[in-house]
C-alpha cells in the first residue's frame, strides 16, 4: 500500500499494464516452459536476476538453456542477466559477470549489492529509499542504475 507504484497479482497484470510505460512481472525462480514462452512472447525485455553462488549459478544455467530453447522455437525474447545480492567484501559478483560476458550472455554492468536495507524495505512494505538505514541510498542507487541500463538495452 505504501509503495510508489501499482502492485497487482499476475492474473490482473494485463488489466493494469495498459496504463503504464513499464510493467515488471516478478515470477517464481524457475517458471515452466509454457510460462517462459509467454514471458518471452509478451515482454519486450526479460531481466534475469542472478546471485553469485554455486547453486544459484546452476539454476541460472538451466534458465539460460530454457531461454535459448524458447528463442530457437519462437525467435523472440531479448534478455540480460542482472547480478544481485553481491557480497560487498567479495569478488564473486565480478567473477560471475566476467564469466557470463565471456560466454556471450547479455549482462548488465550494474550489480546490486547484498544489503540489509532491502530486507528492511520488504519487512516494512516500502521502497528501499524510504527505509531508515545508512545504506538505503546505495541500495536505491543500484536499482536506479540498473533501471537506466535496462531502458537503454530494451530500446
Amino acid at each position: 500500500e505504501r509503495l510508489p507504484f501499482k502492485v497487482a497479482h499476475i492474473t490482473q497484470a494485463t488489466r493494469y499494464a495498459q496504463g503504464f510505460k513499464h510493467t515488471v512481472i516478478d515470477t517464481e525462480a524457475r517458471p515452466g516452459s509454457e510460462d517462459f514462452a509467454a514471458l518471452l512472447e509478451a515482454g519486450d525485455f526479460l531481466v534475469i536476476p542472478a546471485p553469485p553462488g554455486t547453486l544459484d549459478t546452476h539454476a541460472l544455467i538451466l534458465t539460460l538453456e530454457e531461454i535459448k530453447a524458447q528463442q530457437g522455437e519462437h525467435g523472440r525474447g531479448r534478455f540480460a542477466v542482472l547480478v544481485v545480492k553481491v557480497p560487498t567484501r567479495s569478488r564473486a559478483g565480478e567473477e560471475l559477470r566476467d564469466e557470463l560476458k565471456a560466454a556471450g550472455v547479455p549482462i548488465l554492468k550494474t550489480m546490486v549489492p547484498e544489503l540489509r536495507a532491502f530486507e528492511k524495505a520488504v519487512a516494512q512494505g516500502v521502497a528501499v529509499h524510504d527505509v531508515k538505514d545508512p545504506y538505503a541510498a546505495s541500495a536505491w542507487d543500484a536499482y536506479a542504475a540498473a533501471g537506466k541500463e535496462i531502458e537503454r538495452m530494451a530500446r
Side-chain angles (χ1 to χ4, degrees):
E1 294 175 14
R2 299 181 300 178
L3 293 172
F5 47 83
K6 178 73 177 159
V7 176
H9 189 272
I10 188 70
T11 58
Q12 301 172 317
T14 55
R15 181 173 59 171
Y16 290 113
Q18 295 171 353
F20 294 92
K21 180 179 178 183
H22 302 289
T23 304
V24 175
I25 301 171
D26 186 8
T27 68
E28 60 189 304
R30 286 252 317 121
S33 293
E34 287 182 21
D35 291 334
F36 248 121
L39 289 168
L40 289 168
E41 183 64 31
D44 295 322
F45 195 81
L46 182 63
V47 178
I48 303 161
T54 305
L55 293 176
D56 295 311
T57 301
H58 179 70
L60 175 62
I61 290 167
L62 295 174
T63 299
L64 294 173
E65 288 173 353
E66 180 67 31
I67 289 173
K68 186 175 180 180
Q70 293 290 340
Q71 285 178 322
E73 273 183 45
H74 305 288
R76 273 205 39 116
R78 295 184 315 148
F79 74 96
V81 173
L82 170 62
V83 180
V84 298
K85 296 184 179 179
V86 177
T88 54
R89 294 191 172 116
S90 166
R91 289 204 24 88
E94 289 92 352
E95 290 169 2
L96 176 59
R97 189 180 59 201
D98 292 346
E99 288 173 25
L100 292 170
K101 189 175 179 180
V105 174
I107 185 149
L108 278 74
K109 292 177 186 169
T110 303
M111 293 190 297
V112 179
E114 184 175 43
L115 297 170
R116 292 221 24 178
F118 291 119
E119 292 175 30
K120 290 179 182 179
V122 170
Q124 295 172 25
V126 299
V128 73
H129 64 67
D130 292 330
V131 171
K132 299 239 185 287
D133 184 280
Y135 296 101
S138 296
W140 179 256
D141 289 346
Y143 270 112
K148 288 177 185 173
E149 193 174 352
I150 291 164
E151 274 193 309
R152 283 192 305 273
M153 293 177 84
R155 289 186 193 140

